[in-house]
Amino acid sequence: MTTNSAGPLADTAAYAAAVEEAERAAAAYYTAGESTLDDDAYDRLVRAIAAYEEEHPQEVLDASPTGKVAGGAVSGDVPHTVPMLSLDNVFSAEQFVTWTASVERRIGRPVAAWSVEPKLDGLAVAARYRQGVLEQLITRGDGTAGEDVSHAIGTVLGLPERLGAPATLEIRGEILMTTEQFEAANAVRTEHGAAPFANPRNGAAGTLRAKDRPYRVEMTFFAYGALALPDSGELTDTLAGLPHSEVLEYVAGIGVHTAADTAVAPRTVTTVEEVQAGVEDIAALRASLPFGIDGIVIKADLAADQRDAGSGTRAPRWAIAYKLPAVEKVTRLLGVEWNVGRTGIIAPRAVLEPVEIDGSTVSYATLHNPADITRRDLRLGDHVMVYKAGDIIPRIEAPVAHLRTGEEQPIEFPEACPRCGSEIDASEQRWRCTRGRDCRLVASISYAAGRDQLDIEGLGTTRVVQLVDAGLVQDFADLFTLERDQLLSLDRMGETSTDNLLAAIGAAASRPLSRVFCALGVRGTGRSMSRRIARHFASMDRIAAADVEALQQVDGIGKEKAAAVVRELQELAPLIGKLVAAGVNMTEPGATPPPEPGAAQEGEAEESATSGLPLAGMTVVVTGAMTGALEKLSRNEMNELIERAGGKSSSSVSKRTSLLVAGEKAGSKRTKAEDLGVRIAAPEEFAELVQAHLAVEV
């Protein structure tokens, strides 16, 4: 952790200490990906150093990180053909506008076009190809020379060993670990007795340099530029004159991975306002990306504009990194709480030394399960890397092992259920109280009665507690057998409130099967998965009779999840039986049951089930506030409507999106849909399109 606040530096001694700390942190960061500082703390420290140097130019130390690639902390023995520079940063829209004005003053004209693309959180490398064959892989180093890491050739997705054309050139880009690759890498490392990586960048940096590991770890490459090598022939003039956007198209065309096929594909725009919109769009997608970004890179697109703007010793003057608020910070693990969920799952939660991440103070983080704690080798008192993006619950990625002092203590696991003292079923990774839902009966019933499940108005937690304490309900099926006299006997239950509650329970009994199935709270399923299961099987009888193979025919269910659902349904069989006996609906309106084995292939069955429906084969995204006939529908109810009408609901706009329903204040999703040429419908138009299905009660 930093030893100063990275605020204004008071004097020469504070400045010297800050430079020393930055030098030490940069050396650890750019060599092994390890550092005593997270990115945000390092950025703040360097800004404080730069501010002091601006006021005291006569005191600038040679070791200062300002004006140097990689903070001046690293070097290499393989010279770059053209300097491989870093990027300067801006942190606000105002700073960005000031920077664009400086670029246009320098070149003496408006910039013709801007490229807007994600700033990938990885390790910059140069890949040298000769006659289409990858011969050498070099790190950025100090910008003039880098380290030869050619031993990693063949381990990086998106960086082919042979191109689709016999080109001689150097392709520059970022090597990183996706979230999936990072999790797989840490699983492999811990199996071999090594400490887990603290974060994906740490993993990529360490893996890229490792030569003699007894295991292989996969990484991914994204190209952000290319240049001709001295003996490239005609390609030299071709690449030198191409706009940046066309260079990326050329690179992708010969088989190298770029960000073009991701949700944050680079875009070319002409105005500062369009750049700002692009920044907002990419920032909005950050939490959903399968890889890390820490900002957006804006570049002058035309080669002439780049040439006239020129470059400094550290960074080009025609490109800038618009940094986003940090979503990753280092803090301390103070304790672990063990909470019991509504299905009896015992979930550990980390208690953290409070830290500000992405605009909010984080004091807790998820730890998933006991096996995860063991695998990551977490200990009380550890410095830990905490990650948070958007509305995602903060999570601990790994301990920062090189900061350990020896005073850290093991985390103690509970020997009995922390809530009721019953035995714990530890046969699976997620531990569970042997009483299951009975351990959290009130929570289980309240969940079933919630708006997105059975939607029983008037049945809040307080009322559920009354019913449980009075012995009137032992599960939510008992709600459907409650009698008027029983409810009238409860405190604060008059005739009107009793009749209203009974009417709401009666309405709940006719909800679609997807709602009833969701109310069961089957582990591994939620609202969307419950709808898919209900539509696929059409009735509860068929769901209950399904085996692992049959459940795998549902989109999004793999072998492991299918087996878990089968086990859960067997456990829930008595509850399902009570619901049937109480007259609760067990069918899905409009759903077609699957054909008998051999009658049709999976794709044919799905097509048959949705053919003729207004949204058949369409992927639909909803954004903004709905109006008209859709005004009172929740987002979950909108998704139900889409799926009943034959479509698939999605939360993000991409090339696969067929239709965007854009309400008031649609924002960045509408902009992205317009850029991609996706059809856009107002709420009123969409309501008319699905009118017959809108009439079905949601």
Side-chain angles (χ1 to χ4, degrees), residues 84-151:
M84 196 170 178
L85 304 180
S86 297
L87 290 171
D88 287 331
N89 300 322
V90 293
F91 297 87
S92 68
E94 292 75 18
Q95 290 179 2
F96 172 68
V97 170
T98 300
W99 175 80
T100 57
S102 70
V103 175
E104 294 184 340
R105 282 197 302 272
R106 182 175 292 276
I107 67 176
R109 60 182 181 275
V111 171
W114 298 101
S115 175
V116 184
E117 55 201 70
K119 184 177 183 297
L120 302 163
D121 193 11
L123 199 71
V125 297
R128 292 180 180 173
Y129 285 88
R130 198 163 303 280
Q131 294 298 308
V133 177
L134 181 55
E135 289 191 343
Q136 198 171 30
L137 198 59
I138 309 153
T139 65
R140 179 166 56 191
D142 64 359
T144 60
E147 178 185 351
D148 192 317
V149 289
S150 301
H151 58 269

Side-chain angles (χ1 to χ4, degrees), residues 261-282:
D261 293 326
T262 70
V264 285
R267 65 179 71 179
T268 304
V269 299
T270 57
T271 69
V272 171
E273 291 74 20
E274 290 174 323
V275 172
Q276 293 282 16
V279 167
E280 292 173 7
D281 288 349
I282 293 175

Side-chain angles (χ1 to χ4, degrees), residues 402-419:
H402 65 278
L403 295 181
R404 279 181 172 158
T405 64
E407 297 181 1
E408 294 79 16
Q409 298 295 316
I411 294 172
E412 294 186 6
F413 294 173
E415 297 181 357
C417 173
R419 182 172 180 84

Side-chain angles (χ1 to χ4, degrees), residues 6 11 27 38 81 83 106 170 184 244 270 342 356 360 368 570 579 596 639:
D11 51 32
D38 53 56
T81 52
R106 182 175 292 276
E170 179 173 294
H244 169 71
T270 57
R342 58 180 172 76
E356 185 172 326
S360 63
H368 300 295
Q570 290 171 347
L579 290 168
E596 296 299 323
N639 291 338

